[in-house]
Each structure stands twice: as structure tokens, then as C-alpha cells.
């Protein structure tokens, strides 16, 4: 199970840190991803971190502003979001998959419940 938290309302230019706590699995064996879905839009890839080596990957829209990290001792993955923009407003979901990372949500087999991020202008 995945439990996402840390969302909220923030002004443009502000920061938030999302957390996703995993339970009941060998967390270190899973690549983790963050996705988001804005109202009326398709779900989109935000960032992911590989299960081995910790290599990170980002959507172009967030590169340089967001940072994904993981703490295997705490079974938790984080998404640090800086310089937030109104277009970052969405429900953010964490997801887990065996093996290497992927930007395709269909390849992830476990999903958290989502946390709302709202950025005001």
C-alpha cells in the first residue's frame, strides 16, 4: 500500500514537499514514480526514481524545479517541488513498479490515493 501526503495550497513561487510511504513490500526492489492529473486532463508523468542506483528522471515541465528522492530505510519517496506555478495544480499520485523506472503509468502496479496540490497566482 502507498500513502501520499503533503499536498496543500501554496502561492506561485512557493514550495511543497510530497511524501509517499509504502508498506507491505520490499520497498528497495521497486522503482517509484510521481504522476499528476489536473481537472479535465490526462494523467501525466512527473518524475521517477529507479530501484537500483537511484537514477532519477523528470518530465520536461518540472525539470530544474522538482526533485524526487527516496529513503529506503523509511520506505518513503519524496517529491520536493520548488518554484511552483499555477499549471502545477493537480492531484499528485505516487506509484510503484518492479524493475526499472518508466514514464508510462500503465506499467506501475500499485498506486497511492493522491494528494491535492493547488498553486494560486
Amino acid at each position: 500500500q502507498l500513502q501520499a501526503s503533503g499536498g496543500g495550497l501554496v502561492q506561485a513561487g512557493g514550495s511543497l514537499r510530497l511524501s509517499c510511504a509504502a508498506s507491505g513490500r520490499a520497498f528497495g526492489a521497486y522503482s517509484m514514480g510521481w504522476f499528476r492529473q489536473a481537472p479535465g486532463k490526462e494523467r501525466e508523468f512527473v518524475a521517477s526514481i529507479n530501484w537500483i542506483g537511484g537514477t532519477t528522471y523528470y518530465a520536461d515541465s518540472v525539470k530544474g524545479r522538482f526533485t524526487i528522492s527516496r529513503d529506503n530505510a523509511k520506505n518513503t519517496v519524496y517529491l520536493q517541488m520548488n518554484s511552483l506555478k499555477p499549471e502545477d495544480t493537480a492531484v499528485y499520485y505516487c506509484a510503484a513498479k518492479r524493475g526499472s523506472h518508466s514514464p508510462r503509468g500503465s506499467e506501475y502496479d500499485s498506486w497511492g490515493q493522491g494528494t491535492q496540490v493547488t498553486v494560486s497566482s
Side-chain angles (χ1 to χ4, degrees), residues 16-89:
L16 283 174
R17 188 177 81 155
L18 305 184
S19 299
C20 176
S23 61
R25 59 178 67 242
F27 181 75
Y30 285 77
S31 293
M32 302 296 295
W34 285 97
F35 294 78
R36 66 187 182 187
Q37 187 167 21
K41 294 188 176 182
E42 297 287 319
R43 181 181 63 197
E44 65 174 356
F45 169 76
V46 175
S48 62
I49 185 165
N50 219 17
W51 74 280
I52 188 168
T55 309
T56 57
Y57 306 85
Y58 298 93
D60 287 343
S61 59
V62 306
K63 204 171 293 182
R65 300 188 297 122
F66 290 11
T67 302
I68 187 172
S69 62
R70 65 190 298 160
D71 185 337
N72 288 347
K74 295 182 178 181
N75 282 10
T76 302
V77 62
Y78 304 97
L79 185 68
Q80 178 66 44
M81 306 186 294
N82 298 329
S83 302
L84 282 161
K85 304 175 180 180
E87 51 264 43
D88 294 318
T89 295

